[in-house]
Every structure is written in C-alpha cells, then in structure tokens.
C-alpha cells in the first residue's frame, strides 16, 4: 500500500509545478519556462501511460514509452539549456553531445525493437542522457556564478530548475546504469529512488516558477519607481 502511494505521489507531484506555473503566468513568455512546462506535461502523460500499460501487462509498451520519453526529455531539456547558456562554446558543446546521445538512443531503440526486448527500461540511453544533462547543469551553474548580476543566483527561475535536474539525474544515474542487470524484484525495490528523486525535482521546479513570479513582480516595482 505504501509503495503504491509513493508511485501515485510521484506521478501527481508534477501537478505542483504545473499549478504554480499557471498562477505565475505573465506577459513575459520565455522559451525556457515554456519548454519546462511542456516537459512537465509530457512527464505526467508518460507516467500515467506506463502505469496503465504496466498494470494491464500490455507487452513491451512500457519499454518503448520510456525509451521515447528519454529521447524527448533530453531534447526538451537541451532547449532549456541552449536558451539559458550565454557562452557560445557551451551551446556548441551541448549540441555536439546531445547529437551523439540521440544517435546512441535511436540505435539502442532500433536494436531493442528488432529483438523485441522484454525489459521495461533502456539503461544505456537513460544513463548516457543523465550524465550529459548533469554536465550541462554544472556548466550552467559555473556560468551563472561567473556572471556578475544584481540578483542572487538562488532568486532566479533557472537556478531552481537546474538544482531540480541535478538532484534527479545525479540521484538516479547509478540506478539507470545498473537497471539492465537487476532482477524484476530488485528493479521494483530500487525504483523507489527514482520516485523520491522525481518528487524532489518537481518541488524544486515549483520553487523555480514561484521565484520567476517574484522576480517579475520585483522588476515591475523597480520599473514603476524609475518611472
């Protein structure tokens, strides 16, 4: 019973940042906040779909849903990073390594399709994607720290999104890496790590959207005072 509650809480925890983002909506439509919103919606859809497929034991549906999700998740987060990076070198690095990831993920998915892989998780693509996104997160934090700004770094939307991403992908990296070699019982046991990390990620995303709203309000006050 407790395990099912954790699963449901993980799935629907995504509603927290989605609701906060709706209430923090403004005329300033930044691509990076929009793409995170789309990522959250897609995460909710994928989690619901894989839960239903797993419950009714519908063949290899869970594996292919998760595999496609890993690819699109990476692409959406890539868009967030390239629209946040100031350094052209970091942007080129991101495009290069993400292109390598996409090639590896598609090849892995194609081979699994031919072999009718019965597992529920694409360990190679997921762990590779996690490692690359962790590196992007470190680059972005380094860039933000090096850039003089009038606002504190922890008062920005981007900071909390990156913290959420780092916690999630760092916490699940070794789980993703070893997932292929785990038995079904072990996989179900250790998958709780993913559920907890997903909840934490969504909480930090919600903080990010809240900080975005506060930042816009503060800017409005400053602009009004100057006027």
């Amino acid at each position: 019973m407790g395990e099912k509650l954790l699963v449901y809480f993980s799935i629907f925890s995504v509603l927290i940042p989605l609701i906060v983002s709706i209430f923090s909506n403004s005329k300033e439509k930044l691509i990076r906040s929009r793409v995170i919103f789309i990522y959250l919606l897609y995460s909710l859809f994928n989690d619901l779909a894989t839960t239903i497929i797993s419950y009714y034991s519908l063949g290899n549906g869970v594996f292919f849903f998760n595999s496609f999700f890993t690819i699109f998740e990476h692409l959406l987060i890539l868009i967030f990073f390239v629209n946040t990076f100031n350094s052209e070198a970091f942007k080129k690095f991101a495009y290069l390594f993400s292109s390598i990831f996409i090639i590896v993920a598609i090849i892995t998915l194609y081979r699994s399709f031919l072999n009718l892989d019965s597992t529920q998780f694409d360990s190679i693509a997921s762990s590779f994607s996690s490692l690359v996104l962790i590196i992007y997160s470190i680059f972005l934090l380094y860039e933000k720290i090096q850039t003089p700004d009038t606002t504190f770094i922890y008062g920005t939307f981007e900071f909390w999104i990156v913290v959420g991403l780092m916690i999630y992908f760092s916490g699940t990296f070794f789980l993703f890496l070893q997932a292929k070699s785990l038995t079904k019982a072990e996989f179900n046991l250790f998958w709780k790590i993913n559920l907890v990390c997903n909840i934490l990620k969504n909480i930090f995303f919600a903080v990010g959207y809240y900080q975005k709203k506060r930042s816009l309000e503060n800017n409005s006050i400053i602009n009004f005072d100057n006027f």
Side-chain angles (χ1 to χ4, degrees), residues 14-147:
V14 73
L15 294 176
I16 301 173
L18 284 173
I19 292 172
V20 175
S21 69
I22 292 171
F23 281 103
S24 65
N25 193 24
S26 67
K27 294 181 180 179
E28 187 179 1
K29 304 295 185 181
L30 298 176
I31 293 177
R32 49 185 176 268
S33 60
R34 280 182 170 184
V35 78
I36 294 298
F37 185 85
I38 295 170
Y39 167 55
L40 291 169
L41 283 177
Y42 184 32
S43 298
L44 177 60
F45 166 76
N46 186 77
D47 286 344
L48 288 172
T50 53
T51 300
I52 293 171
I53 292 171
S54 180
Y55 180 80
Y56 289 103
S57 301
L58 300 177
N60 298 324
V62 172
F63 175 83
F64 291 109
F65 261 91
N66 283 332
S67 296
F68 282 115
F69 174 76
T70 300
I71 295 173
F72 286 109
E73 172 190 55
H74 189 97
L75 290 173
L76 289 170
I77 298 176
L78 171 66
I79 295 172
F80 165 79
F81 278 113
V82 296
N83 281 278
T84 308
F85 283 140
N86 292 322
S87 170
E88 290 298 323
F90 285 169
K91 290 181 181 181
K92 291 177 181 178
F93 179 89
Y95 283 127
L96 174 61
F97 276 81
S98 290
S99 297
I100 296 172
F101 160 74
I102 295 299
I103 294 171
V104 171
I106 292 175
I107 291 174
T108 304
L109 181 60
Y110 177 69
R111 287 180 175 177
S112 300
F113 179 77
L114 291 180
N115 297 330
L116 295 178
D117 200 320
S118 59
T119 61
Q120 295 188 5
F121 197 75
D122 188 346
S123 181
I124 297 175
S126 297
S127 55
F128 187 14
S129 177
S130 296
L131 179 60
V132 171
L133 294 177
I134 290 170
I135 293 172
Y136 294 172
S137 299
I138 294 172
F139 280 179
L140 184 57
L141 288 178
Y142 172 79
E143 185 180 70
K144 291 296 182 183
I145 291 172
Q146 296 298 315
T147 304

Side-chain angles (χ1 to χ4, degrees), residues 157-196:
F157 167 78
E158 295 79 13
F159 172 77
W160 292 103
I161 297 300
V162 170
V163 169
L165 292 174
M166 286 192 71
I167 288 176
Y168 178 73
F169 290 114
S170 298
T172 58
F173 174 71
F174 289 103
L175 172 63
F176 292 171
L177 193 63
Q178 297 294 324
K180 197 80 171 181
S181 60
L182 298 176
T183 64
K184 187 175 181 179
E186 290 173 335
F187 183 87
N188 292 334
L189 176 63
F190 289 111
W191 195 247
K192 293 176 183 178
I193 298 173
N194 175 71
L195 301 177
V196 172

